Amino acid sequence: MDIMPAVGFSPYTLYSREEWARLREDTPLTLTEADIENLSGVTERVSTDEVVDVYLPLSRLLNLYVEASQGLHGITEEFLRKGNGKIPFVIGLAGSVAAGKSTSARVLQALLARWPSHPNVALVPTDGFLFPNAVLEDRGLMTRKGFPESYDLPTLLNFLGDVKSGKARVEAPVYSHVVYDVLQGQTLAVEHPDIVIVEGLNVLQPAILPKDGETIPFVSDFFDFSIYIDAAEALVERWYVERFLRLRQTAFRDPAAYFHRYASLSEVEAREVALSLWRTINLINLHENILPTRQRADLILRKGAGHAVESVALRKL
């Protein structure tokens, strides 16, 4: 799973964590220790050092991108003699199950919201755009949940189209990992956003180009910047199993939880179930749909043991 090819041209510049950390310059840390603790995930604990070394420089870079985009939009509005409408900057964040996408997205949301030029930062997980379980069961797709065909793509595209058209209020469906289903009647309201972070497994997947030229846009067409959370396959498998074992002792104990039946398993039994789910569903999705999109990202965060980012690859301009 090398980011950089052994020979030939690479579209990326690779930075060690130490090299990347120096690009922070004088960007202040605007999160407290308590903030950082609250942003951590079930198994991936983001440290203050990692926020300072990795996410602060990234927030500085993204701030420059956002301000440049806002300036370009303002000039275009002036040229076209239109009103002062605001078009959100959209960031796509992709990667495998258990790679730590949600935690990275939350940290970025918190940091970016503290820059004065874009205080309203929305985070939208694409889990909400999965078809409800009833639909997946009817179509025989429950074991393909998280694969591209399990998403309500028209609804997701309409949502992103409304966001990019500057619509003042846009609503996204909400997903519960406890009941393992879309929550009917519940929505996430995105109002007047400066930035929208769209986080999900397959958000960087390209559309299939039609022969007649009447192309249908795909999710990544709406992104101004994209990030891929990367790690060695063996590490992601280990993190998936660790998360499953942790949830077995916490969320799975809720009688309303979809996976409540696993709460009574022994650790050995639970580990076997987790490995089976990983290897028969999530690993296949990683190989077929997620990993092939990695090189489409503008920036790749490469993690090592302990969920810590060890290197950063930034696409060359």
Side-chain angles (χ1 to χ4, degrees):
M1 295 178 68
D2 291 334
I3 295 172
M4 313 295 280
V7 294
F9 171 76
S10 170
Y12 293 95
T13 300
L14 185 63
Y15 298 87
S16 67
R17 177 161 162 171
E18 293 73 21
E19 291 170 330
W20 182 255
R22 288 195 287 270
L23 300 178
R24 168 197 175 188
E25 294 195 351
D26 59 351
T27 305
L29 176 60
T30 53
L31 301 178
T32 66
E33 293 281 355
D35 292 332
I36 294 171
E37 177 64 24
N38 289 333
L39 292 169
S40 293
V42 174
T43 54
E44 66 274 14
R45 315 304 295 176
V46 63
S47 68
T48 300
D49 286 343
E50 187 173 12
V51 171
V52 171
D53 291 348
V54 177
Y55 292 101
L56 268 184
L58 179 53
S59 78
R60 175 174 177 254
L61 175 66
L62 290 171
N63 175 64
L64 293 172
Y65 271 77
V66 174
E67 290 185 343
S69 177
Q70 290 172 340
L72 178 60
H73 178 68
I75 292 170
T76 304
E77 292 272 284
E78 181 180 350
F79 173 77
L80 296 175
R81 298 181 181 179
K82 289 187 175 182
N84 188 26
K86 180 171 65 174
I87 303 299
F89 189 91
V90 181
I91 300 169
L93 197 152
S96 172
V97 168
K101 298 185 304 301
S102 298
T103 298
S104 294
R106 289 193 298 269
V107 172
L108 279 177
Q109 179 188 28
L111 288 171
L112 290 170
R114 285 162 170 78
W115 288 88
S117 58
H118 41 77
N120 189 349
V121 182
L123 172 56
V124 180
T126 58
D127 292 340
F129 294 94
L130 286 161
F131 285 115
N133 285 353
V135 175
L136 295 176
E137 288 170 355
D138 184 61
R139 298 182 183 182
L141 292 174
M142 278 300 289
T143 58
R144 303 278 290 179
K145 199 168 189 177
F147 286 65
E149 62 269 27
S150 66
Y151 290 88
D152 184 352
L153 185 57
T155 299
L156 177 53
L157 289 173
N158 286 333
F159 168 81
L160 291 169
D162 287 342
V163 167
K164 267 303 187 181
S165 68
K167 192 172 180 179
R169 177 186 171 93
V170 185
E171 294 185 349
V174 175
Y175 185 86
S176 168
H177 288 276
V178 175
V179 299
Y180 197 60
D181 204 354
V182 178
L183 298 178
Q184 298 301 315
Q186 295 192 33
T187 58
L188 169 66
V190 177
E191 299 184 82
H192 304 286
D194 299 302
I195 300 173
V196 178
I197 301 173
V198 180
E199 174 260 311
L201 299 172
N202 298 297
V203 295
L204 296 183
Q205 196 169 58
I208 298 174
L209 297 177
K211 295 180 180 180
D212 60 6
E214 297 295 326
T215 184
I216 298 174
F218 201 68
V219 175
S220 56
D221 293 337
F222 294 92
F223 296 160
D224 298 290
F225 194 90
S226 56
I227 301 167
Y228 187 96
I229 309 298
D230 192 33
E233 188 178 294
L235 284 177
V236 183
E237 177 182 286
R238 191 181 81 196
W239 297 337
Y240 180 85
V241 173
E242 288 174 352
R243 186 175 71 176
F244 189 91
L245 294 176
R246 181 73 61 84
L247 291 172
R248 159 182 157 270
Q249 297 176 322
T250 53
F252 291 174
R253 295 188 181 277
D254 185 343
Y258 181 85
F259 292 113
H260 177 64
R261 61 190 181 277
Y262 296 140
S264 59
L265 295 178
S266 69
E267 182 172 336
V268 172
E269 292 170 331
R271 187 177 296 276
E272 290 176 352
V273 169
L275 283 171
S276 176
L277 291 173
W278 167 256
R279 291 170 180 171
T280 61
I281 299 175
N282 296 292
L283 182 59
I284 295 172
N285 197 16
L286 174 61
H287 285 170
E288 293 182 357
N289 303 303
I290 303 169
L291 184 58
T293 70
R294 181 179 60 185
Q295 297 290 89
R296 303 190 73 241
D298 294 303
L299 182 135
I300 301 170
L301 296 178
R302 175 75 170 184
K303 289 187 170 185
H307 268 284
V309 173
E310 294 182 340
S311 64
V312 179
L314 178 64
R315 184 174 291 279
K316 298 172 182 176
L317 298 177

